[in-house]
Amino acid sequence: MVRLGAILFMSFLGLTMAGCSGWQLRGSGHNTVADITIYAVEKNARSVGRAFREHWTSLGGDLVAIGEADFTLVIEKEDYVRSLLSVSPKTGKAREINLKLDVIFSMRSKDGTLLIAEEVFSAERDFIFDETSVYGSNENSAVLKEALAKLVAIEIAVRASSSAVAYREK
């Protein structure tokens, strides 16, 4: 009897949810970058520029030549700063390191209107060296730099798309 009640309840719940119109899964909403064409310029920002292009195209956005673009995005001055957080008391070698990435970006419309004045985006992470690991510190640093570049690229994409949408709605 309990089993029949559970089956009926789950069936009712499933039918009720299927009948609800307007609900959607988080992240499956309207694609806001599909109709935004951007010309991306990178000046001394190779990692973030590459990560931005990959992220933008994965969202369905178009990266086009300057004559075809509705917006021009400039990403420049990628700067990684490493700082020592702690030293191993046994070996005297670096134990914890902080890696910070700063990038400057700006965005203009096709008619030259400044949408985003030069703005600095930053990301930083701490990482710990495992002295017994075969995987070296240079590889850890390279992976972390790539991860930071992707984080900043995502933030730039969000800022660029929201600025483009706001500009078009004016």
Side-chain angles (χ1 to χ4, degrees):
M1 188 65 161
V2 173
R3 194 171 190 187
L4 179 62
I7 291 172
L8 288 174
F9 175 72
M10 291 304 289
S11 298
F12 173 74
L13 184 64
L15 288 172
T16 304
M17 289 180 68
C20 295
S21 61
W23 72 277
Q24 61 187 13
L25 295 174
R26 191 167 109 197
S28 65
H30 301 290
N31 188 350
T32 58
V33 302
D35 60 342
I36 299 172
T37 57
I38 285 186
Y39 173 65
V41 179
E42 55 186 63
K43 299 177 183 176
N44 297 324
R46 182 172 289 168
S47 297
V48 176
R50 181 178 56 248
F52 173 79
R53 286 191 306 275
E54 289 172 2
H55 184 68
W56 191 259
T57 54
S58 74
L59 293 174
D62 286 329
L63 295 170
V64 295
I66 193 165
E68 303 169 19
D70 294 330
F71 304 97
T72 301
L73 178 71
V74 179
I75 303 170
E76 57 187 324
K77 297 181 185 170
E78 178 180 287
D79 184 31
Y80 291 96
V81 178
R82 267 176 93 148
S83 57
L84 183 64
L85 296 177
S86 69
V87 176
S88 172
K90 293 179 183 175
T91 63
K93 294 182 180 178
R95 175 106 177 148
E96 288 181 287
I97 299 246
N98 175 275
L99 186 62
K100 181 178 180 182
L101 168 62
D102 292 325
V103 174
I104 298 173
F105 77 100
S106 61
M107 186 168 150
R108 290 187 178 272
S109 68
K110 191 174 197 170
D111 62 3
T113 305
L114 183 64
L115 302 178
I116 303 172
E118 282 193 350
E119 195 171 310
V120 178
F121 266 18
S122 298
E124 64 181 291
R125 292 289 181 263
D126 299 339
F127 63 102
I128 299 171
F129 288 114
D130 182 3
E131 297 170 8
T132 62
S133 175
V134 176
Y135 194 58
S137 61
N138 289 338
E139 288 83 3
N140 283 337
S141 181
V143 168
L144 190 59
K145 283 181 178 182
E146 184 180 336
L148 289 176
K150 286 180 180 180
L151 284 173
V152 170
I154 290 168
E155 293 298 323
I156 290 173
V158 168
R159 184 83 164 84
S161 65
S162 64
S163 296
V165 168
Y167 176 75
R168 285 185 173 169
E169 290 178 353
K170 283 196 319 180

